[in-house]
Amino acid sequence: MPADVQKNQVSDTSVADYPLWLKRFILTYQSLAVGPLDPLATLYHPQVQFQDPLHQVQGLESLLSYFAGLYSKLTQCKFQIESVLYQGNSAALYWTMTYAHPQLNQGKPIRVEGHSLIRGEQDKVVYHRDYLDAGQMLYEHLPVVGALIRWVKRRASQ
């Protein structure tokens, strides 16, 4: 690993040495919960590009609308950022999301591990791409489809 790449376990005190855009991203997501998403409006650049396995959006208003739709039916959502690698204006964050939706997994919490690639510009996040297993997050918890996906995964691992 190059000497100027930083890797740390994330705690409120360890973010002190991070650039402002990264520090704000970590603190915002670790305190984000079901409810108003107002903190996200100040975190992202107006021209932010966002992508996850299910959607791709361009611009702050589209991103906020997308997140509002995702969070509207959740009864619980919590991010724990486990590790951060950053260099210059780019960072990779490894996280665990725990969420609950009344129509998935009988309303019980679902735990998903993933990571994000983000880039900062002008103290804002201008690029955010999430990498995660969409099956683990969603499809495995749907009736019929979930059983089929679990069966395929079992067969593939034999």
Side-chain angles (χ1 to χ4, degrees), residues 17-78:
D17 296 331
Y18 293 157
L20 182 59
W21 59 270
L22 180 54
K23 183 186 319 183
R24 287 173 37 193
F25 185 92
I26 292 167
L27 295 175
T28 298
Y29 270 88
Q30 289 199 143
S31 65
L32 196 62
V34 174
L37 300 175
D38 299 339
L40 296 178
T42 60
L43 179 65
Y44 289 100
H45 190 278
Q47 300 303 315
V48 65
Q49 295 177 29
F50 174 85
Q51 185 174 355
D52 67 16
L54 305 173
H55 290 87
Q56 184 171 345
V57 296
Q58 175 80 34
L60 181 59
E61 292 304 317
S62 295
L63 179 61
L64 294 176
S65 176
Y66 174 59
F67 282 162
L70 287 177
Y71 277 74
S72 68
K73 294 186 174 95
L74 298 182
T75 57
Q76 170 189 347
C77 189
K78 175 81 175 144

Side-chain angles (χ1 to χ4, degrees), residues 5 19 33 67 76 87 94 113 116 121-122 128 132-133 142:
V5 173
F67 282 162
Q76 170 189 347
Q87 182 175 28
Y94 296 83
E113 294 179 352
S116 299
E121 184 178 298
Q122 301 169 354
H128 178 172
L132 57 108
D133 181 343
L142 296 172

